[in-house]
C-alpha cells in the first residue's frame, strides 16, 4: 500500500470461513498479540487449537494470550488460510491495489462476511442441495439488504 509492505492477518475456521481480518505494517509478537485480542473479542470463545505458519511471533503471542491452547505449526496445515486469501487478491488486483491501510481494512472487514455468506462449498454439495443453499443465501441477502436482486 503506497509503496510500503503491509501484512494481512486472517483467522479462518475449520470450514474455511474467514472469522476476522486485520491489516498491519508489522509482523512481530506485538502485532500478533493485537490480532489475537481482536479475534477473541469477535469469537466470544477460546479456540481449542490454532494453526499458523512457522513465524516465531505467533508462538510468543500465543504464550502470552492463549496459554492453554494447542498450537500447531505446519507447512501444510496452514493451507486453508492461504487459500482463503485468493478472493482478496483477485479483488485487490481488480481495484488496482488499495490506496490506504484504512481503506483496505474497511473493505476487507465488509467483504469477508459477504463472501462467506455466498461461498457455498460447491464440491461438497449435490446439484439440488447447492440450488437450495444458493436460493436460501440470496433470500437472506434480500431480507438483510431490503432490496430485490435482478436475475
Amino acid at each position: 500500500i503506497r509503496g510500503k509492505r503491509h501484512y494481512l492477518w486472517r483467522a479462518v475456521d475449520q470450514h474455511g470461513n474467514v472469522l476476522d481480518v486485520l491489516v498491519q505494517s508489522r509482523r512481530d509478537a506485538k502485532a500478533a498479540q493485537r490480532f489475537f485480542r481482536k479475534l477473541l473479542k469477535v469469537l466470544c470463545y477460546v479456540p481449542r487449537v490454532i494453526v499458523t505458519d512457522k513465524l516465531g511471533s505467533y508462538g510468543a503471542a500465543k504464550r502470552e494470550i492463549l496459554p492453554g491452547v494447542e498450537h500447531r505449526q505446519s507447512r501444510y496445515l496452514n493451507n486453508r488460510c492461504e487459500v482463503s486469501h485468493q478472493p482478496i487478491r483477485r479483488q485487490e488486483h481488480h481495484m488496482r491495489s488499495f490506496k490506504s491501510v484504512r481503506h483496505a481494512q474497511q473493505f476487507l472487514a465488509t467483504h469477508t462476511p459477504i463472501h462467506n455468506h455466498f461461498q457455498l462449498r460447491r464440491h461438497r454439495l449435490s446439484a439440488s442441495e447447492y440450488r437450495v443453499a444458493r436460493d436460501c443465501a440470496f433470500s437472506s441477502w434480500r431480507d438483510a439488504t431490503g432490496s430485490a436482486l435482478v436475475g
Side-chain angles (χ1 to χ4, degrees):
I1 300 174
R2 294 188 177 224
K4 290 187 177 181
R5 181 170 291 210
H6 289 80
Y7 299 97
L8 179 64
W9 299 70
R10 291 175 316 284
V12 180
D13 69 359
Q14 65 269 20
H15 304 294
N17 295 323
V18 179
L19 300 173
D20 201 7
V21 179
L22 183 65
V23 178
Q24 291 188 348
S25 61
R26 296 184 183 205
R27 209 169 165 213
D28 56 0
K30 186 176 177 183
Q33 287 176 359
R34 181 175 178 212
F35 178 65
F36 284 157
R37 282 192 196 101
K38 184 177 186 287
L39 177 63
L40 290 174
K41 282 183 195 174
V42 173
L43 283 182
C44 300
Y45 68 89
V46 178
R48 187 178 54 84
V49 176
I50 60 170
V51 178
T52 65
D53 58 8
K54 294 185 179 182
L55 182 69
S57 59
Y58 287 119
K62 185 209 116 5
R63 280 191 298 275
E64 183 75 27
I65 296 177
L66 302 167
V69 176
E70 182 183 349
H71 185 200
R72 296 180 187 165
Q73 291 178 312
S74 172
R75 184 175 176 184
Y76 303 107
L77 291 174
N78 199 34
N79 264 357
R80 185 164 295 156
C81 190
E82 296 301 330
V83 169
S84 75
H85 188 55
Q86 289 173 350
I88 295 167
R89 298 287 290 211
R90 282 194 298 264
Q91 188 66 30
E92 180 185 16
H93 180 71
H94 180 71
M95 295 171 67
R96 292 188 172 83
S97 80
F98 296 110
K99 306 301 182 227
S100 69
V101 175
R102 183 172 162 237
H103 177 245
Q105 181 67 43
Q106 285 178 339
F107 173 79
L108 295 171
T110 306
H111 180 264
T112 53
I114 294 170
H115 181 74
N116 287 339
H117 184 69
F118 289 104
Q119 180 183 8
L120 297 174
R121 306 278 185 253
R122 176 69 177 105
H123 65 283
R124 293 187 179 180
L125 302 172
S126 67
S128 60
E129 290 172 336
Y130 177 73
R131 282 191 289 273
V132 168
R134 186 191 58 205
D135 291 342
C136 197
F138 276 108
S139 67
S140 65
W141 178 256
R142 272 187 238 109
D143 294 342
T145 59
S147 62
L149 295 173
V150 178

